[in-house]
Structure formats: C-alpha cells, structure tokens
Amino acid sequence: QSPHANGQRSIFSAVGIRRDNYTCQHCGKHLKDDEVEFDHIIPVSKGGSSEEHNIRLTCFDCNRDKSDDYVP
C-alpha cells in the first residue's frame, strides 16, 4: 500500500520530514514543501513495505532516477 493511501501521507510527512530534515537522502538537496517525494528504499515491487523504516525523502529527480532499483 502506498504511503499516500488512506490519509497516510500526513503521517509519513510528519515523521519523514522531521527525521530527514527536508533533505534529499540521495543528493543532499534541501527541499521545499512542494518538492518533497517519498521513496521506498526497497521498492514495493521487490517486496518492500510502506513502513517508516523503508521510506525516505528524496527530490523529484533522484526519485525518478532510482525508479524501482534498490539503492541503500
């Protein structure tokens, strides 16, 4: 299930943004509210979950470059 389903985006937003400090976890770019993307560290397509430990903040470009690859 996506972190955007059933209103979970706000939960992941609060936890993920605070934990990752508005910073892309791939390139280090400081992100504005409208630039924040959520990335599954282990993609759902490869068995990853939508739990907090498997979600991190990324910028649009890094999230698209990663696609469904596993990039620790």
Side-chain angles (χ1 to χ4, degrees):
Q1 186 175 27
S2 161
H4 301 280
N6 299 326
Q8 290 183 5
R9 179 168 169 53
S10 62
I11 295 168
F12 283 106
S13 293
V15 172
I17 289 172
R18 183 172 49 246
R19 181 193 65 201
D20 294 343
N21 196 27
Y22 280 93
T23 302
C24 176
Q25 298 301 294
H26 287 281
C27 71
K29 175 183 176 183
H30 184 75
L31 304 170
K32 297 176 185 169
D33 281 333
D34 63 348
E35 295 176 317
V36 169
E37 300 240 339
F38 293 101
D39 171 48
H40 289 88
I41 298 165
I42 301 171
V44 173
S45 65
K46 297 195 182 336
S49 72
S50 289
E51 295 177 24
E52 177 186 342
H53 68 272
N54 193 46
I55 302 286
R56 63 183 163 197
L57 296 185
T58 60
C59 66
F60 178 87
D61 291 335
C62 288
N63 201 19
R64 295 308 175 278
D65 286 346
K66 180 185 172 238
S67 183
D68 72 341
D69 294 332
Y70 171 63
V71 180

